[in-house]
Amino acid sequence: HMAKAEKSMKAGFISFLSPPDYFSAALDLQQAAQKYRAARMPDKALDAWMKAAQCQMTNKDQLGAARSLEQAAALSDTELKDPVKAMALWTDAKNKYRAGGKFEQANKMLLKMAEAAAPTNVAEAKAYYDEALEILTEEERYHEANEVFKALVGLLVKGEDFRGALNTIDRHVANLEQLKQWNFVHKELLGKIVLQLKVGDTVKADEVINEGLNVEGFLQSREYEAGSALLQAWREMDPDM
């Protein structure tokens, strides 16, 4: 397949009669990449995917190139254990997907990037999650945004960025209100109460409870009961309050 690809990329003796066939070359390179991977030759597979992407870009097939780059990123991540290379390839694929209007695929790349960055760089991972949320909001994919909001809050809490987590919960609440998912709004309000107490701000925790009274069903909810009880217990533990 590699030999066929190289032949397709070469112009004939009279180039305007027999121009390079980058479409066929890309197909042959993709098949070669799959065979190399099956043969456990990831370096050669990566090289073939990269050459396929180059052919597709030359052929003005931006989305095809994005798919090839995505495959190259997966190889770099899982088999070659090269996170820097994988991140660069995911970024390139994401940009091409966004430029081509394939927002679902772009979002998929961003979530992979966020998960890869999270263990070592919370700020970088947050930026990827924020970009994913930007895409989902623009496309009015509010249900899908819920999972990203949860992941981002979890990331920030784990990184002890409690103020950032509180701001993100506010954004999540606005998204849930858009969907009229009041039970989930109640859960997020309880989460805000817990975080405000975590940072020692009982005044803000009390404000969350009071503001929640304007939310449909919150006063009758278990979350209101739990939040009120938690705040009262916190006050009883602190003799200065």
Side-chain angles (χ1 to χ4, degrees):
H1 287 290
M2 290 296 288
K4 283 181 66 180
E6 289 174 5
K7 183 178 179 181
S8 296
M9 285 187 284
K10 291 178 181 177
F13 181 72
I14 305 177
S15 61
F16 68 89
L17 291 178
S18 181
D21 183 357
Y22 291 107
F23 177 80
S24 297
L27 289 178
D28 287 326
L29 286 161
Q30 289 171 335
Q31 291 179 40
Q34 291 164 357
K35 289 181 182 294
Y36 281 135
R37 188 169 192 177
R40 297 186 179 181
M41 301 168 70
D43 289 302
K44 288 184 176 293
L46 176 64
D47 182 59
W49 281 120
M50 296 299 293
K51 287 178 177 176
Q54 290 170 5
C55 286
Q56 287 158 323
M57 286 303 295
T58 302
N59 207 37
K60 301 188 184 335
D61 180 10
Q62 185 163 251
L63 294 177
R67 288 188 286 270
S68 293
L69 290 167
E70 183 180 350
Q71 293 292 333
L75 266 174
S76 299
D77 179 46
T78 59
E79 295 183 36
L80 294 171
K81 308 299 181 186
D82 188 344
V84 175
K85 181 74 171 178
M87 192 67 78
L89 291 168
W90 278 323
T91 300
D92 198 0
K94 179 264 296 182
N95 290 337
K96 286 178 171 53
Y97 279 135
R98 284 202 77 170
K102 296 296 182 180
F103 300 110
E104 187 172 342
Q105 289 92 329
N107 189 63
K108 178 184 171 185
M109 297 298 94
L110 284 162
L111 296 182
K112 284 183 177 293
M113 292 158 69
E115 290 169 10
T120 57
N121 194 326
V122 170
E124 184 179 350
K126 179 182 182 299
Y128 297 139
Y129 280 130
D130 280 335
E131 187 176 350
L133 288 167
E134 176 188 310
I135 291 174
L136 292 170
T137 302
E138 287 176 357
E139 295 299 302
E140 299 183 354
R141 307 284 283 269
Y142 302 118
H143 285 92
E144 293 173 48
N146 283 336
E147 294 304 314
V148 182
F149 276 120
K150 288 179 190 176
L152 178 52
V153 170
L155 171 78
L156 295 171
V157 169
K158 189 174 181 180
E160 298 189 349
D161 180 3
F162 301 120
R163 295 297 180 192
L166 285 163
N167 290 335
T168 303
I169 290 175
D170 284 336
R171 293 161 60 197
H172 190 192
V173 166
N175 190 75
L176 291 166
E177 288 176 339
Q178 182 90 12
L179 296 167
K180 301 188 184 305
Q181 294 183 344
W182 304 115
N183 289 339
F184 291 107
V185 172
H186 303 162
K187 294 180 188 301
E188 293 304 309
L189 292 174
L190 178 57
K192 281 189 70 176
I193 294 166
V194 171
L195 284 177
Q196 293 291 9
L197 294 176
K198 177 72 175 176
V199 298
D201 197 334
T202 54
V203 173
K204 289 286 187 183
D206 199 36
E207 286 178 4
V208 174
I209 291 176
N210 291 330
E211 290 167 7
L213 298 178
N214 297 319
V215 174
E216 184 175 319
F218 183 62
L219 182 59
Q220 297 79 30
S221 70
R222 292 181 179 178
E223 288 78 14
Y224 170 77
E225 183 180 343
S228 299
L230 185 59
L231 180 57
Q232 183 59 35
W234 198 277
R235 284 172 170 154
E236 289 172 358
M237 286 190 299
D238 190 342
D240 295 328
M241 293 185 61

